[in-house]
Amino acid sequence: MSSSMSRKRSHAEALVPAVDKKHEYPIAPIAPPLKKPTICKPAPFAEDEEAVRERNTCNYNVKITQEMAKAGLAPRPIRVYADGIYDLFHQGHARQLMQAKNLFPNVYLIVGVCNDALTHSRKGRTVMSEDERYEAVRHCRYVDEVVPDAPWTLEDDFLDYHKIDFVAHDDIPYTTGSATDVYAHIKARGMFVVTERTEGVSTSDVVSRIVKDYDVYVRRNLARGYSAKDLNVSYISEKKYRLQNKIDDLKKKGKEMIEDMEGKRTDLIAKWEEKSREFIDTFLMLFGRDGRLTQYLTEKKDSVLSALSPPSSPKAISQSSEDCNSPPAKSTKFDFSSPSRSGASLIDDDYSDDDYESASA
């Protein structure tokens, strides 16, 4: 048993090619599949536990220059700060934050949002409240942290507290009524990085559209159940807007009715054309030049003609043309004494009484 097993083993080893043990063949390690990070919660506020832990673990003593950041040589996450009002959060705001997030590799984006009191005193009234603006920003996918009640001018104490490496904003001087750019000292320290504005869209443009179509939006909201008090319109204006809504509804229904009638008329015309086409085809099939009736009459022409005009008698056919043109001969009495063939035949054919009596006797 053991000898047979050894023979099988030796045969199998002979089939396997020899391995050179002098050379090593390293096996390439199998890299684990890349897991795409999933964002499943909004960004924390600056004083939330998650944001505080991230700030405390940052070694701010290591200063990062723009050259280091662009070359990817930063030994820690780069803390970039962007601020604004972010009223009626739109794609222009999102694009600015996207640019700030992608300025350097491994960016931790902090976004400061000014409160209502500071914004109304510096820039004017907002459409959204401060809490609504905070929530809009912290739900943007590019944001890692939100600083509520952000200051209008960035002081050194604020920069040091939040351990900010760079400030991102567009390059247009932001004066807000004064001749001094609020980011002038940030630019002087080499901490300013430029983002591009999105042309054609801003909060002021959105507000201008609403003001331009004010009546349309008021009528829309009245139709949706808002009261005149909610929309801050007078009683007379409310009735005017509601009357306009009724008129528009009647116009819409009238248009739909006309379109429905047009559709039915179109269907009726199409059906009539289809039926008339079938009728014309059937008529031509029966009475046309090559129709069935014409073919039938052609095939039965001789029969129809013979039935309508029967042939002349043989006597009339045997008469000569002269007899036909001359008047008929005048009839005479029979001449029994004549020896002609015709008279003899008449005498021979005569059956008299004497003959009848002799025959009976």
Side-chain angles (χ1 to χ4, degrees), residues 107-325:
V107 168
Y108 183 85
L109 182 59
I110 306 168
V111 181
V113 183
C114 300
N115 59 26
D116 286 347
L118 182 60
T119 303
H120 295 167
S121 62
R122 294 284 187 145
K123 198 169 184 178
R125 185 174 181 81
T126 59
V127 178
M128 300 170 65
S129 66
E130 59 184 33
D131 292 331
E132 292 171 338
R133 293 184 285 113
Y134 298 155
E135 289 298 320
V137 172
R138 70 192 296 245
H139 281 84
C140 178
R141 61 183 299 183
Y142 311 114
V143 179
D144 296 306
E145 181 183 325
V146 174
V147 179
D149 302 325
W152 199 262
T153 303
L154 303 179
E155 304 294 341
D156 292 341
D157 293 341
F158 180 83
L159 298 175
D160 294 338
Y161 177 79
H162 291 282
K163 299 182 178 180
I164 296 171
D165 296 312
F166 301 100
V167 177
H169 201 271
D170 60 81
D171 202 19
I172 300 174
Y174 202 74
T175 57
T176 62
S178 63
T180 305
D181 184 6
V182 295
Y183 298 105
H185 66 291
I186 303 294
K187 295 177 181 178
R189 293 179 57 178
M191 298 175 61
F192 188 84
V193 287
V194 179
T195 57
E196 296 180 359
R197 294 178 62 89
T198 303
E199 297 298 331
V201 58
S202 66
T203 302
S204 300
D205 294 336
V206 176
V207 173
S208 298
R209 297 177 200 173
I210 297 174
V211 173
K212 179 181 178 182
D213 298 325
Y214 170 78
D215 291 351
V216 177
Y217 293 117
V218 171
R219 289 165 53 190
R220 182 191 67 176
N221 288 347
L222 285 173
R224 292 183 177 182
Y226 286 83
S227 64
K229 184 178 179 181
D230 296 333
L231 301 174
N232 194 26
V233 296
S234 64
Y235 176 81
I236 297 177
S237 298
E238 177 192 7
K239 297 304 178 184
K240 181 187 70 173
Y241 291 137
R242 293 191 182 278
L243 179 61
Q244 289 176 344
N245 286 340
K246 292 292 183 182
I247 294 174
D248 289 345
D249 290 340
L250 290 175
K251 288 181 179 179
K252 183 179 179 181
K253 290 180 180 179
K255 184 178 179 180
E256 291 176 353
M257 185 181 299
I258 292 174
E259 290 177 353
D260 186 43
M261 292 176 62
E262 287 290 334
K264 291 182 178 179
R265 185 173 70 87
T266 303
D267 292 341
L268 182 62
I269 292 175
K271 290 180 179 179
W272 182 84
E273 289 179 350
E274 182 180 356
K275 293 296 182 182
S276 62
R277 194 178 297 110
E278 292 178 358
F279 175 78
I280 293 171
D281 292 342
T282 304
F283 181 84
L284 293 176
M285 188 181 296
L286 290 175
F287 301 101
R289 177 176 296 179
D290 297 328
R292 295 179 180 176
L293 184 60
T294 303
Q295 294 178 359
Y296 176 79
L297 293 176
T298 303
E299 294 173 357
K300 303 298 182 179
K301 181 177 180 180
D302 296 338
S303 302
V304 173
L305 291 176
S306 62
L308 294 176
S309 57
S312 58
S313 61
K315 183 177 180 180
I317 295 174
S318 62
Q319 288 179 352
S320 62
S321 59
E322 295 179 357
D323 294 339
C324 292
N325 294 329

Side-chain angles (χ1 to χ4, degrees), residues 337-358:
S337 60
S338 174
S340 63
R341 175 63 184 162
S342 59
S345 62
L346 291 174
I347 294 173
D348 292 339
D349 294 336
D350 185 17
Y351 297 98
S352 62
D353 293 337
D354 296 338
D355 295 335
Y356 177 74
E357 289 178 356
S358 61

Side-chain angles (χ1 to χ4, degrees), residues 45-60 79 108 110 145 147 160-163:
F45 289 113
E47 300 306 323
D48 291 345
E49 181 181 355
E50 181 181 351
V52 173
R53 184 172 60 251
E54 183 70 26
R55 184 166 60 249
N56 292 335
T57 57
C58 174
N59 185 8
Y60 198 56
R79 297 172 69 87
Y108 183 85
I110 306 168
E145 181 183 325
V147 179
D160 294 338
Y161 177 79
H162 291 282
K163 299 182 178 180

Side-chain angles (χ1 to χ4, degrees), residues 76-95:
R76 58 174 174 80
I78 303 171
R79 297 172 69 87
V80 177
Y81 178 83
D83 59 355
I85 309 302
Y86 301 106
D87 190 22
L88 296 175
F89 193 85
H90 51 73
Q91 70 269 29
H93 297 141
R95 187 171 180 271

